[in-house]
Amino acid sequence: MSEVCVKVALRVRPLLPLEVLQNHKVCVRIVPDSTQVMVGSDRLFSFDHAFGPTATQDEVYNSCVQPLVETLLRGDNATVFCFGQTGSGKTYTFGGGNLGEKGGIIDRVAENVFSLLGEKKNSDGVETTVRVTYLELYMEELQDLLESHNTDKELFISKNDKGNTVVVGAKEIVVTSAEELLSIVEVGNVLRHINITGMNEHSSRSHTILTLQVVKGFPNSNPSLKSSCSSKLCLVDLAGSERARKGNKGSQHKESAHINRGLLALGNVIRVLADRARNNCNSTHIPYRDSKITRLLQDSLGGTAHTLMVACVSPSHHSVDETVGVLQRAAKARRIRNCPTATSTHTEAD
Ligand code: ADP
Ligand code: MG
């Protein structure tokens, strides 16, 4: 089995109009014609891709996400997760519900998957189905964003017979076009917002996981047997990585503690996996079980998926400490090695 490293793309957003008005200074720059980023005048970080404030959504998509869609359609699992402080551009980069120039990763994935499937249609007798799940993880509780009524349904993180992570009980919807997929995401996003319990910035305090599962059914010489194989693409928008603000009280404090616990656990998993790769030692314990987000990302970090981390940062001197923290963790993530498994075909009686 060949190993592949987690790939990291760094994106620096432009200063926002209000920041310009308030005289924020730019302190994060991409080194021209390179994939390196400089903070201040002396701290340099290297990545697989680096995008500056003028990079378009198209450039980001074409250079680092599109190859993963091809991977998915070839039958391998893939993950894209956005990581960064609140306000750094994660949701902008992710998109969802905007099929134009401004459309982000979700929009472009939707278009790309269905146009590639359309091209291949009926050419080889393979029947392809795309199934979607959309989940939110808030305060260590999983919510199904495809269930329009707030059910008390419990969702469990488990492993399937191939050892892949699955969420038992998640509603799956079969989609047949980009528009259908995006309207499902839009409805899910509305649900995400109406769950707000009087707290601002709820959405930046929860993680969302949109999963596209591509199932291919192959013609079989024996008509009573069906062969199929499936692969998944997980698109994960993580909660903001900032530290708990001082003075948070009661439920807000609890909320911050949960977010921090999840992100702290994620940071630990990244650190342990990066150290393991550096020391060439496979026996270390990886603390996946410390939080739900790390359990959900187990296949993506040190597992069997092809993984891209999109680290988003603000260029402003006001958030330089947070930015350096994100860059350090992102640089560590590049050392993580995954072992993608070859497509396995599953045959069963009709
Ligand atoms: P996050 O999801 O990380 O909290 P957002 O994606 O909501 O951050 O971005 C914060 C603000 O910055 C939004 O107003 C968004 O439109 C703007 N923004 C982020 N990235 C870019 C970009 N690359 N170009 C222009 N505006 C951006
Ligand atoms: Mg966001």
Side-chain angles (χ1 to χ4, degrees), residues 287-319:
Y288 291 115
R289 300 194 76 83
D290 285 2
S291 77
K292 286 193 176 152
I293 192 65
T294 44
R295 288 182 69 194
L296 287 168
L297 287 173
Q298 186 164 352
D299 295 345
S300 316
L301 297 169
T304 54
H306 293 260
T307 299
L308 170 76
M309 173 194 217
V310 184
C312 296
V313 295
S314 146
S316 167
H317 73 287
H318 271 281
S319 31

mmCIF file of all heavy atoms in Angstrom, residues 287-319:
data_model
loop_
_atom_site.group_PDB
_atom_site.id
_atom_site.type_symbol
_atom_site.label_atom_id
_atom_site.label_comp_id
_atom_site.label_asym_id
_atom_site.label_seq_id
_atom_site.Cartn_x
_atom_site.Cartn_y
_atom_site.Cartn_z
ATOM 1 N N PRO A 287 -4.873 9.727 19.839
ATOM 2 C CA PRO A 287 -6.045 9.983 20.710
ATOM 3 C C PRO A 287 -7.317 10.388 19.949
ATOM 4 O O PRO A 287 -7.936 11.397 20.254
ATOM 5 C CB PRO A 287 -5.543 11.120 21.614
ATOM 6 C CG PRO A 287 -4.526 11.835 20.808
ATOM 7 C CD PRO A 287 -3.893 10.825 19.903
ATOM 8 N N TYR A 288 -7.728 9.559 18.958
ATOM 9 C CA TYR A 288 -8.937 9.861 18.187
ATOM 10 C C TYR A 288 -10.179 9.924 19.075
ATOM 11 O O TYR A 288 -11.111 10.664 18.821
ATOM 12 C CB TYR A 288 -9.189 8.772 17.133
ATOM 13 C CG TYR A 288 -8.194 8.723 16.011
ATOM 14 C CD1 TYR A 288 -7.359 7.614 15.846
ATOM 15 C CD2 TYR A 288 -8.103 9.756 15.089
ATOM 16 C CE1 TYR A 288 -6.468 7.534 14.796
ATOM 17 C CE2 TYR A 288 -7.205 9.695 14.038
ATOM 18 C CZ TYR A 288 -6.390 8.581 13.896
ATOM 19 O OH TYR A 288 -5.502 8.518 12.856
ATOM 20 N N ARG A 289 -10.194 9.097 20.130
ATOM 21 C CA ARG A 289 -11.419 8.957 20.901
ATOM 22 C C ARG A 289 -11.669 10.112 21.865
ATOM 23 O O ARG A 289 -12.669 10.123 22.573
ATOM 24 C CB ARG A 289 -11.432 7.612 21.640
ATOM 25 C CG ARG A 289 -11.351 6.427 20.695
ATOM 26 C CD ARG A 289 -11.704 5.133 21.355
ATOM 27 N NE ARG A 289 -13.142 4.978 21.551
ATOM 28 C CZ ARG A 289 -13.995 4.552 20.628
ATOM 29 N NH1 ARG A 289 -13.543 4.218 19.435
ATOM 30 N NH2 ARG A 289 -15.273 4.449 20.887
ATOM 31 N N ASP A 290 -10.767 11.090 21.872
ATOM 32 C CA ASP A 290 -10.937 12.207 22.805
ATOM 33 C C ASP A 290 -12.077 13.152 22.442
ATOM 34 O O ASP A 290 -12.516 13.939 23.276
ATOM 35 C CB ASP A 290 -9.626 13.013 22.927
ATOM 36 C CG ASP A 290 -8.603 12.260 23.764
ATOM 37 O OD1 ASP A 290 -8.913 11.136 24.198
ATOM 38 O OD2 ASP A 290 -7.497 12.800 23.975
ATOM 39 N N SER A 291 -12.539 13.127 21.177
ATOM 40 C CA SER A 291 -13.689 13.977 20.823
ATOM 41 C C SER A 291 -14.355 13.402 19.575
ATOM 42 O O SER A 291 -13.786 12.564 18.871
ATOM 43 C CB SER A 291 -13.245 15.416 20.556
ATOM 44 O OG SER A 291 -12.662 15.487 19.289
ATOM 45 N N LYS A 292 -15.589 13.887 19.316
ATOM 46 C CA LYS A 292 -16.316 13.336 18.165
ATOM 47 C C LYS A 292 -15.704 13.792 16.853
ATOM 48 O O LYS A 292 -15.696 13.052 15.881
ATOM 49 C CB LYS A 292 -17.786 13.734 18.246
ATOM 50 C CG LYS A 292 -18.493 12.936 19.325
ATOM 51 C CD LYS A 292 -19.986 13.053 19.259
ATOM 52 C CE LYS A 292 -20.594 12.141 20.318
ATOM 53 N NZ LYS A 292 -21.887 12.607 20.792
ATOM 54 N N ILE A 293 -15.199 15.027 16.804
ATOM 55 C CA ILE A 293 -14.656 15.508 15.522
ATOM 56 C C ILE A 293 -13.424 14.683 15.125
ATOM 57 O O ILE A 293 -13.238 14.363 13.952
ATOM 58 C CB ILE A 293 -14.384 17.045 15.525
ATOM 59 C CG1 ILE A 293 -14.106 17.545 14.104
ATOM 60 C CG2 ILE A 293 -13.248 17.447 16.446
ATOM 61 C CD1 ILE A 293 -15.245 17.442 13.145
ATOM 62 N N THR A 294 -12.617 14.274 16.102
ATOM 63 C CA THR A 294 -11.433 13.472 15.742
ATOM 64 C C THR A 294 -11.843 12.048 15.354
ATOM 65 O O THR A 294 -11.223 11.439 14.485
ATOM 66 C CB THR A 294 -10.389 13.451 16.881
ATOM 67 O OG1 THR A 294 -11.053 13.246 18.125
ATOM 68 C CG2 THR A 294 -9.602 14.732 16.929
ATOM 69 N N ARG A 295 -12.923 11.550 15.967
ATOM 70 C CA ARG A 295 -13.408 10.225 15.543
ATOM 71 C C ARG A 295 -13.936 10.300 14.118
ATOM 72 O O ARG A 295 -13.689 9.426 13.296
ATOM 73 C CB ARG A 295 -14.514 9.735 16.484
ATOM 74 C CG ARG A 295 -13.955 9.338 17.849
ATOM 75 C CD ARG A 295 -15.043 8.830 18.732
ATOM 76 N NE ARG A 295 -15.575 7.554 18.283
ATOM 77 C CZ ARG A 295 -16.708 7.042 18.730
ATOM 78 N NH1 ARG A 295 -17.424 7.687 19.617
ATOM 79 N NH2 ARG A 295 -17.123 5.872 18.283
ATOM 80 N N LEU A 296 -14.673 11.391 13.823
ATOM 81 C CA LEU A 296 -15.221 11.543 12.473
ATOM 82 C C LEU A 296 -14.120 11.713 11.430
ATOM 83 O O LEU A 296 -14.295 11.331 10.282
ATOM 84 C CB LEU A 296 -16.166 12.747 12.423
ATOM 85 C CG LEU A 296 -17.507 12.553 13.126
ATOM 86 C CD1 LEU A 296 -18.238 13.879 13.274
ATOM 87 C CD2 LEU A 296 -18.381 11.558 12.353
ATOM 88 N N LEU A 297 -13.003 12.299 11.843
ATOM 89 C CA LEU A 297 -11.912 12.546 10.878
ATOM 90 C C LEU A 297 -10.862 11.429 10.878
ATOM 91 O O LEU A 297 -9.826 11.564 10.236
ATOM 92 C CB LEU A 297 -11.248 13.894 11.173
ATOM 93 C CG LEU A 297 -12.052 15.155 10.805
ATOM 94 C CD1 LEU A 297 -11.357 16.405 11.300
ATOM 95 C CD2 LEU A 297 -12.255 15.242 9.285
ATOM 96 N N GLN A 298 -11.153 10.336 11.575
ATOM 97 C CA GLN A 298 -10.140 9.277 11.711
ATOM 98 C C GLN A 298 -9.663 8.714 10.370
ATOM 99 O O GLN A 298 -8.474 8.486 10.177
ATOM 100 C CB GLN A 298 -10.685 8.147 12.595
ATOM 101 C CG GLN A 298 -9.641 7.107 12.901
ATOM 102 C CD GLN A 298 -10.035 6.220 14.066
ATOM 103 O OE1 GLN A 298 -11.036 6.464 14.749
ATOM 104 N NE2 GLN A 298 -9.263 5.172 14.301
ATOM 105 N N ASP A 299 -10.577 8.527 9.418
ATOM 106 C CA ASP A 299 -10.171 7.998 8.101
ATOM 107 C C ASP A 299 -9.338 9.028 7.337
ATOM 108 O O ASP A 299 -8.567 8.684 6.448
ATOM 109 C CB ASP A 299 -11.393 7.675 7.228
ATOM 110 C CG ASP A 299 -12.228 6.550 7.801
ATOM 111 O OD1 ASP A 299 -11.720 5.836 8.689
ATOM 112 O OD2 ASP A 299 -13.387 6.403 7.372
ATOM 113 N N SER A 300 -9.563 10.314 7.683
ATOM 114 C CA SER A 300 -8.930 11.395 6.917
ATOM 115 C C SER A 300 -7.549 11.763 7.435
ATOM 116 O O SER A 300 -6.737 12.310 6.705
ATOM 117 C CB SER A 300 -9.812 12.643 6.959
ATOM 118 O OG SER A 300 -11.157 12.291 6.756
ATOM 119 N N LEU A 301 -7.305 11.501 8.707
ATOM 120 C CA LEU A 301 -6.011 11.837 9.303
ATOM 121 C C LEU A 301 -5.342 10.552 9.773
ATOM 122 O O LEU A 301 -5.766 9.947 10.754
ATOM 123 C CB LEU A 301 -6.198 12.807 10.477
ATOM 124 C CG LEU A 301 -6.802 14.165 10.105
ATOM 125 C CD1 LEU A 301 -7.199 14.942 11.347
ATOM 126 C CD2 LEU A 301 -5.816 14.975 9.268
ATOM 127 N N GLY A 302 -4.340 10.109 9.044
ATOM 128 C CA GLY A 302 -3.666 8.867 9.400
ATOM 129 C C GLY A 302 -4.473 7.652 8.978
ATOM 130 O O GLY A 302 -4.190 6.534 9.391
ATOM 131 N N GLY A 303 -5.494 7.844 8.128
ATOM 132 C CA GLY A 303 -6.349 6.733 7.702
ATOM 133 C C GLY A 303 -6.191 6.429 6.222
ATOM 134 O O GLY A 303 -5.087 6.487 5.674
ATOM 135 N N THR A 304 -7.334 6.163 5.567
ATOM 136 C CA THR A 304 -7.277 5.647 4.207
ATOM 137 C C THR A 304 -7.727 6.643 3.138
ATOM 138 O O THR A 304 -7.864 6.290 1.971
ATOM 139 C CB THR A 304 -8.169 4.400 4.096
ATOM 140 O OG1 THR A 304 -9.473 4.775 4.554
ATOM 141 C CG2 THR A 304 -7.649 3.249 4.919
ATOM 142 N N ALA A 305 -7.998 7.899 3.544
ATOM 143 C CA ALA A 305 -8.500 8.869 2.557
ATOM 144 C C ALA A 305 -7.366 9.723 1.984
ATOM 145 O O ALA A 305 -6.283 9.803 2.557
ATOM 146 C CB ALA A 305 -9.532 9.771 3.219
ATOM 147 N N HIS A 306 -7.638 10.338 0.835
ATOM 148 C CA HIS A 306 -6.755 11.386 0.306
ATOM 149 C C HIS A 306 -7.274 12.680 0.933
ATOM 150 O O HIS A 306 -8.454 13.011 0.755
ATOM 151 C CB HIS A 306 -6.906 11.496 -1.218
ATOM 152 C CG HIS A 306 -6.401 10.295 -1.940
ATOM 153 N ND1 HIS A 306 -5.176 10.269 -2.542
ATOM 154 C CD2 HIS A 306 -6.950 9.078 -2.143
ATOM 155 C CE1 HIS A 306 -4.981 9.094 -3.104
ATOM 156 N NE2 HIS A 306 -6.054 8.343 -2.872
ATOM 157 N N THR A 307 -6.444 13.380 1.663
ATOM 158 C CA THR A 307 -6.945 14.512 2.448
ATOM 159 C C THR A 307 -6.293 15.839 2.081
ATOM 160 O O THR A 307 -5.077 15.911 1.905
ATOM 161 C CB THR A 307 -6.746 14.224 3.954
ATOM 162 O OG1 THR A 307 -7.482 13.057 4.280
ATOM 163 C CG2 THR A 307 -7.231 15.384 4.822
ATOM 164 N N LEU A 308 -7.151 16.855 1.979
ATOM 165 C CA LEU A 308 -6.670 18.227 1.758
ATOM 166 C C LEU A 308 -7.149 19.086 2.919
ATOM 167 O O LEU A 308 -8.336 19.108 3.251
ATOM 168 C CB LEU A 308 -7.256 18.783 0.450
ATOM 169 C CG LEU A 308 -7.021 20.279 0.230
ATOM 170 C CD1 LEU A 308 -5.571 20.553 -0.193
ATOM 171 C CD2 LEU A 308 -7.975 20.832 -0.833
ATOM 172 N N MET A 309 -6.214 19.775 3.558
ATOM 173 C CA MET A 309 -6.596 20.743 4.590
ATOM 174 C C MET A 309 -6.477 22.122 3.945
ATOM 175 O O MET A 309 -5.436 22.446 3.370
ATOM 176 C CB MET A 309 -5.626 20.636 5.770
ATOM 177 C CG MET A 309 -5.798 21.683 6.848
ATOM 178 S SD MET A 309 -4.320 21.652 7.919
ATOM 179 C CE MET A 309 -5.002 21.948 9.497
ATOM 180 N N VAL A 310 -7.556 22.906 4.013
ATOM 181 C CA VAL A 310 -7.474 24.276 3.523
ATOM 182 C C VAL A 310 -7.378 25.163 4.763
ATOM 183 O O VAL A 310 -8.338 25.275 5.527
ATOM 184 C CB VAL A 310 -8.707 24.665 2.673
ATOM 185 C CG1 VAL A 310 -8.536 26.070 2.106
ATOM 186 C CG2 VAL A 310 -8.919 23.673 1.537
ATOM 187 N N ALA A 311 -6.205 25.718 4.990
ATOM 188 C CA ALA A 311 -6.014 26.572 6.165
ATOM 189 C C ALA A 311 -6.267 28.009 5.746
ATOM 190 O O ALA A 311 -5.664 28.500 4.790
ATOM 191 C CB ALA A 311 -4.598 26.404 6.701
ATOM 192 N N CYS A 312 -7.224 28.659 6.425
ATOM 193 C CA CYS A 312 -7.594 30.025 6.061
ATOM 194 C C CYS A 312 -7.072 30.983 7.124
ATOM 195 O O CYS A 312 -7.196 30.714 8.320
ATOM 196 C CB CYS A 312 -9.115 30.147 5.980
ATOM 197 S SG CYS A 312 -9.831 29.132 4.684
ATOM 198 N N VAL A 313 -6.502 32.106 6.679
ATOM 199 C CA VAL A 313 -6.034 33.111 7.646
ATOM 200 C C VAL A 313 -6.409 34.517 7.176
ATOM 201 O O VAL A 313 -6.577 34.776 5.988
ATOM 202 C CB VAL A 313 -4.497 33.047 7.891
ATOM 203 C CG1 VAL A 313 -4.088 31.747 8.548
ATOM 204 C CG2 VAL A 313 -3.704 33.286 6.616
ATOM 205 N N SER A 314 -6.516 35.401 8.171
ATOM 206 C CA SER A 314 -6.731 36.826 7.888
ATOM 207 C C SER A 314 -5.349 37.468 7.744
ATOM 208 O O SER A 314 -4.403 37.021 8.382
ATOM 209 C CB SER A 314 -7.495 37.430 9.070
ATOM 210 O OG SER A 314 -7.076 38.756 9.279
ATOM 211 N N PRO A 315 -5.231 38.498 6.911
ATOM 212 C CA PRO A 315 -3.917 39.121 6.754
ATOM 213 C C PRO A 315 -3.629 40.161 7.844
ATOM 214 O O PRO A 315 -2.514 40.677 7.927
ATOM 215 C CB PRO A 315 -4.043 39.821 5.399
ATOM 216 C CG PRO A 315 -5.494 40.172 5.306
ATOM 217 C CD PRO A 315 -6.250 39.101 6.032
ATOM 218 N N SER A 316 -4.644 40.455 8.675
ATOM 219 C CA SER A 316 -4.544 41.604 9.585
ATOM 220 C C SER A 316 -3.545 41.405 10.727
ATOM 221 O O SER A 316 -3.449 40.319 11.308
ATOM 222 C CB SER A 316 -5.930 41.870 10.177
ATOM 223 O OG SER A 316 -5.821 42.745 11.263
ATOM 224 N N HIS A 317 -2.854 42.496 11.067
ATOM 225 C CA HIS A 317 -1.908 42.423 12.191
ATOM 226 C C HIS A 317 -2.635 42.185 13.510
ATOM 227 O O HIS A 317 -2.048 41.730 14.470
ATOM 228 C CB HIS A 317 -1.059 43.705 12.260
ATOM 229 C CG HIS A 317 -1.806 44.907 12.757
ATOM 230 N ND1 HIS A 317 -2.749 45.569 12.005
ATOM 231 C CD2 HIS A 317 -1.749 45.553 13.949
ATOM 232 C CE1 HIS A 317 -3.228 46.581 12.703
ATOM 233 N NE2 HIS A 317 -2.636 46.586 13.896
ATOM 234 N N HIS A 318 -3.966 42.461 13.532
ATOM 235 C CA HIS A 318 -4.733 42.246 14.762
ATOM 236 C C HIS A 318 -4.814 40.788 15.157
ATOM 237 O O HIS A 318 -4.993 40.461 16.318
ATOM 238 C CB HIS A 318 -6.176 42.761 14.582
ATOM 239 C CG HIS A 318 -6.315 44.186 14.960
ATOM 240 N ND1 HIS A 318 -6.417 44.601 16.255
ATOM 241 C CD2 HIS A 318 -6.330 45.293 14.200
ATOM 242 C CE1 HIS A 318 -6.504 45.915 16.289
ATOM 243 N NE2 HIS A 318 -6.446 46.360 15.042
ATOM 244 N N SER A 319 -4.756 39.878 14.162
ATOM 245 C CA SER A 319 -4.917 38.463 14.511
ATOM 246 C C SER A 319 -3.635 37.675 14.270
ATOM 247 O O SER A 319 -3.684 36.471 14.037
ATOM 248 C CB SER A 319 -6.088 37.858 13.735
ATOM 249 O OG SER A 319 -6.241 38.455 12.498
#
